[in-house]
Structures are given as structure tokens and as C-alpha cells.
């Protein structure tokens, strides 16, 4: 059972996007919205702000409704897709801008998504999450190979070219220098020539054992 957004009467419909009981209510609602918009344009700034706030509160209440909220969301999706189809260049520029801002705001999440995509392409196990990365960084408090504190990168303990999975028991925080030097080597081969390398290797193994 649905409720008409204009006359508030109940009606039955299987279409979640339908918000009015009849064509007449739909047209009358459009006229009312048009009148409100025209009146809003003539109002002084304080009244305009109050009216916009009232309309925003009404939309929040509608979106919170389990049925009408789905209908509004479905309408929004249809409207966005229609606009994107009619304006492909603007849509491409908008997506590019949003993606760039998101990468700046959430760099680690984008790195995780990129590594997960590469692992899926190679057919390797995935499952590494942002919470797993935060736990690894907090445990080592720096590079897992040299111990230097500072900015770290996600490094495969067993290299991806050697079928190393993108899971929490194979990803370590490493500084850029160690990440580049290790490259596709096995961790033991890389650490054996380092100072305190074997001790660090044992610490890494104990960290992985603690995850299981």
C-alpha cells in the first residue's frame, strides 16, 4: 500500500517509483512545486533560507521512509543515468574530478582496491581490507624490513609474481626504498644480507602466526 504525495490517499502499486495515485495528482503537484519555486525567487533571503530548510527536512523524512525512500532513490538513479546519457562529456569530466578528489582523500583505500583488482586478474586470493592495513601499520610502527618510521607502502611478503595472495597474512608495511630493493625477491633472500635481518624475519613470521 502506497500513499500519494499530493492528496495523501492510499493506493496500491507494485512500482516503487510511483509517487502519485493518478495523473491529475502528478500534474497538480508539478504546478504546486512550480508556484513554490516562483514564490521562492521573489522572497527575501531570510524567508528563502527558511523555505529551503523546510523542504530539505521534508526530503529527509521522505528518504527515511522504507518504501518512499526507495522510490526517491530509484528516481534519482534514473535521473542521473538519463543526464549522463545526454551529457557524456560532462559526465566523464565529473567522474574524473570526483575520482581525483577521492584518491586524495582516501589514498589507502584506492591502493587496496587497485591491488585487489590486480590479484583478481591474476586469479590470486584476495580479502585484504583497510582495517587489516591499519592493524599492520600499528603493529610494526614503520617499515617491517628496516624498522625506519615514516610513510609506508603495502608490500607483498611473497611476491605477486610468485602467486603471493593479497590477504592480511601476506601484506606488510614497507618503506619505499625497501619495497623497491626487495622487488620480486623472497623476503629471506632480501633480509639475510641486512643488519638484524634474520631477527626481523622472525618477527614477521611471528606476526603472521598471531593472525591465525
Amino acid at each position: 500500500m502506497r500513499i500519494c504525495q499530493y492528496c495523501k490517499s492510499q493506493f496500491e502499486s507494485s512500482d516503487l517509483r510511483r509517487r502519485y495515485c493518478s495523473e491529475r495528482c502528478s500534474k497538480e503537484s508539478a504546478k504546486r512545486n512550480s508556484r513554490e519555486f516562483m514564490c521562492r525567487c521573489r522572497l527575501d533571503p531570510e524567508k528563502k533560507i527558511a523555505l529551503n530548510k523546510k523542504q530539505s527536512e521534508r526530503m529527509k523524512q521522505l528518504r527515511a521512509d522504507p518504501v518512499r525512500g526507495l522510490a526517491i532513490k530509484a528516481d534519482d538513479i534514473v535521473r542521473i543515468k538519463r543526464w549522463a546519457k545526454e551529457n557524456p562529456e560532462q559526465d566523464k569530466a565529473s567522474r574524473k574530478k570526483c575520482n581525483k578528489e577521492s584518491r586524495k582523500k582516501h589514498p589507502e583505500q584506492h591502493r587496496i582496491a587497485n591491488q585487489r583488482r590486480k590479484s583478481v586478474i591474476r586469479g590470486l586470493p584476495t580479502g585484504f581490507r583497510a582495517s587489516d592495513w591499519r592493524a599492520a601499520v600499528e603493529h610494526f610502527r614503520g617499515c617491517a624490513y628496516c624498522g625506519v618510521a615514516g610513510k609506508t607502502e603495502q608490500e607483498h611478503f611473497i611476491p605477486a609474481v610468485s602467486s603471493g595472495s593479497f590477504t592480511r597474512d601476506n601484506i606488510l608495511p614497507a618503506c619505499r626504498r625497501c619495497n623497491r630493493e626487495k622487488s620480486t625477491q623472497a623476503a629471506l633472500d632480501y633480509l639475510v644480507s641486512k643488519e638484524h635481518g634474520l631477527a626481523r624475519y622472525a618477527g614477521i613470521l611471528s606476526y603472521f602466526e598471531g593472525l591465525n
Side-chain angles (χ1 to χ4, degrees), residues 34-56:
S34 178
R35 286 195 299 270
E36 286 183 0
F37 176 75
M38 293 303 293
C39 292
R40 197 183 308 152
C41 292
R42 300 189 188 100
L43 291 174
D44 59 86
E46 291 185 1
K47 290 184 179 179
K48 191 184 290 187
I49 291 171
L51 187 58
N52 286 338
K53 187 175 181 181
K54 183 179 179 182
Q55 187 176 9
S56 176

Side-chain angles (χ1 to χ4, degrees), residues 131-174:
S131 58
D132 298 329
W133 173 245
R134 287 193 293 269
V137 171
E138 186 178 351
H139 177 84
F140 288 100
R141 299 188 181 279
C143 178
Y145 297 119
C146 65
V148 174
K151 189 175 180 181
T152 54
E153 302 175 347
Q154 295 165 14
E155 204 280 323
H156 286 70
F157 182 69
I158 301 174
V161 294
S162 302
S163 301
S165 61
F166 186 63
T167 53
R168 65 176 185 166
D169 57 356
N170 194 48
I171 300 297
L172 295 170

Side-chain angles (χ1 to χ4, degrees), residues 73-147:
K73 187 176 181 180
D75 280 351
D76 290 343
I77 293 172
V78 170
R79 192 159 49 248
I80 290 169
K81 286 184 176 180
R82 188 187 301 123
W83 178 85
K85 192 175 181 180
E86 294 172 354
N87 306 274
E89 294 299 326
Q90 295 181 29
D91 177 58
K92 186 178 179 181
S94 177
R95 286 175 182 271
K96 189 175 180 180
K97 182 181 178 182
C98 290
N99 194 25
K100 189 176 180 180
E101 292 176 355
S102 179
R103 283 181 181 277
K104 286 183 179 179
K105 193 174 182 180
H106 309 287
E108 290 303 331
Q109 292 182 12
H110 279 272
R111 289 194 193 100
I112 289 171
N114 189 38
Q115 289 289 348
R116 186 181 292 115
R117 179 181 62 82
K118 290 179 180 179
S119 297
V120 169
I121 292 172
R122 293 188 178 109
L124 300 173
T126 60
F128 192 71
R129 298 171 296 180
S131 58
D132 298 329
W133 173 245
R134 287 193 293 269
V137 171
E138 186 178 351
H139 177 84
F140 288 100
R141 299 188 181 279
C143 178
Y145 297 119
C146 65

